[in-house]
Amino acid sequence: MRQGLDVRLEPVAVGSAAERAQLLAPQLKAMGDPNRLHLLLLLAEGPHTVRELTEASGMGQTLVSHHLAPLREQGLVTITPQGRSNVYSLCCEALSGPVKLLATLAAMTPEGADACCS
């Protein structure tokens, strides 16, 4: 098992839909930015370093790091030190499917395609 620096998503037994919504809203907000969604889609393909994400996304290193921070804070992305680099990956394999599904749904409209998928 790899050692990550960030908190992983843990199932929480919460009763009402309102309480579940309160817990989920910050994570959805973190994913609500097109640049962050782009990074999540890249990470859904597999782990990457910031340099690899920079090259794949066309964003600058500072911008990639800026957008990874809220994803880490919400436990959606983990970091694994590897030599002089950090490797970023999705918090769990189970997140990959929903992220790809959301991108596919968004791509079905012209607005969605412009917002997240190139």
Side-chain angles (χ1 to χ4, degrees):
M1 177 185 261
R2 67 173 189 229
Q3 178 183 4
L5 299 177
D6 288 317
V7 176
R8 294 194 182 266
L9 295 178
E10 297 293 332
V12 178
V14 178
S16 74
E19 290 170 321
R20 289 192 307 269
Q22 284 292 104
L23 291 173
L24 185 59
Q27 293 169 339
L28 291 176
K29 183 177 179 181
M31 292 189 294
D33 180 273
N35 289 324
R36 292 183 199 140
L37 185 55
H38 188 183
L39 294 174
L40 285 173
L41 287 168
L42 292 171
L43 293 172
E45 297 170 2
H48 293 285
T49 63
V50 170
R51 183 177 183 173
E52 292 168 340
L53 291 170
T54 297
E55 292 170 1
S57 69
M59 293 182 243
Q61 184 271 327
T62 303
L63 189 59
V64 168
S65 295
H66 169 78
H67 284 295
L68 285 171
L71 298 173
R72 284 191 327 262
E73 290 167 6
Q74 291 304 314
L76 299 170
V77 172
T78 60
I79 305 170
T80 303
Q82 186 175 26
R84 295 179 57 169
S85 299
N86 289 321
V87 177
Y88 289 81
S89 54
L90 293 181
C91 66
C92 52
E93 192 64 32
L95 185 59
S96 176
V99 167
K100 290 177 183 178
L101 176 64
L102 288 171
T104 301
L105 291 173
M108 291 180 177
T109 66
E111 299 83 8
D114 290 343
C116 80
C117 306
S118 54

